[in-house]
């Protein structure tokens, strides 16, 4: 079996907004479909390098989504993550109706100001024993 075949949310491990989003996703993902890795981790760096994703994700440093086959960036990542969580959240897949350029303006505005608005941590989060299988290092 090939490495990196799971659905993985790649997030900025020092961003309070990103960490908050991960906490919400951990609660919402009842079927444990998602795994998580901070962009600062060796795991994420290996995934990005092994799949030659450097050019596609250049200058994106907040949240990305690897679905096991391809990388989703910016607003597409958020929509795909919500679809993977399922349930009520799957309705957010309708976000694809909104032109990508408009969605990404909002995404970029939030991403650019996330540290100023939500703060930042000194280091990446450490998984609790219960979350070790879902938080990849």
């Amino acid at each position: 079996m090939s490495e990196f075949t799971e659905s993985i949310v790649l997030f900025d491990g020092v961003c309070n907004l990103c960490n908050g989003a991960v906490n919400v996703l951990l609660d919402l993902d009842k079927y444990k479909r998602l795994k998580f890795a901070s962009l600062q981790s060796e795991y994420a760096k290996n995934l990005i390098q092994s799949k030659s994703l450097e050019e596609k994700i250049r200058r994106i440093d907040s949240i990305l989504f690897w679905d096991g086959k391809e990388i989703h960036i910016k607003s597409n990542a958020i929509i795909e993550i919500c679809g993977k969580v399922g349930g009520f959240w799957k309705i957010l897949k309708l976000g694809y109706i909104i032109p990508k350029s408009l969605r990404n303006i909002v995404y970029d505005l939030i991403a650019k100001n996330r540290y100023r608005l939500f703060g930042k941590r000194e280091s990446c989060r450490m998984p609790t024993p219960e979350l070790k299988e879902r938080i990849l290092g």
Side-chain angles (χ1 to χ4, degrees), residues 31 73 87 91 96 127:
Y31 297 105
I73 62 173
I91 198 166
Y96 280 121

Side-chain angles (χ1 to χ4, degrees), residues 26-42:
L26 284 164
D27 290 340
L28 293 175
D29 184 20
K30 302 294 183 209
Y31 297 105
K32 300 181 180 176
R33 295 178 178 133
L34 299 172
K35 304 281 184 173
F36 302 86
S38 78
L39 284 164
Q40 294 84 0
S41 72
E42 287 304 312

Side-chain angles (χ1 to χ4, degrees), residues 38-101:
S38 78
L39 284 164
Q40 294 84 0
S41 72
E42 287 304 312
Y43 187 92
K45 290 174 187 172
N46 289 337
L47 168 62
I48 290 164
Q49 186 176 29
S50 74
K51 301 297 181 184
S52 302
L53 301 172
E54 295 90 350
E55 186 61 30
K56 185 164 184 180
I57 67 165
R58 191 171 31 121
R59 293 189 305 266
I60 299 172
D61 61 357
S62 48
I63 291 185
L64 305 162
F65 182 59
W66 174 255
D67 68 6
K69 297 177 188 155
E70 67 178 297
I71 195 79
H72 301 275
I73 62 173
K74 297 190 178 194
S75 61
N76 285 359
I78 304 302
I79 292 170
E80 290 297 321
I81 290 166
C82 290
K84 194 69 168 177
V85 168
F88 167 80
W89 297 99
K90 203 170 193 171
I91 198 166
L92 293 178
K93 295 275 280 192
L94 290 173
Y96 280 121
I97 294 170
I98 300 167
K100 186 164 117 176
S101 59

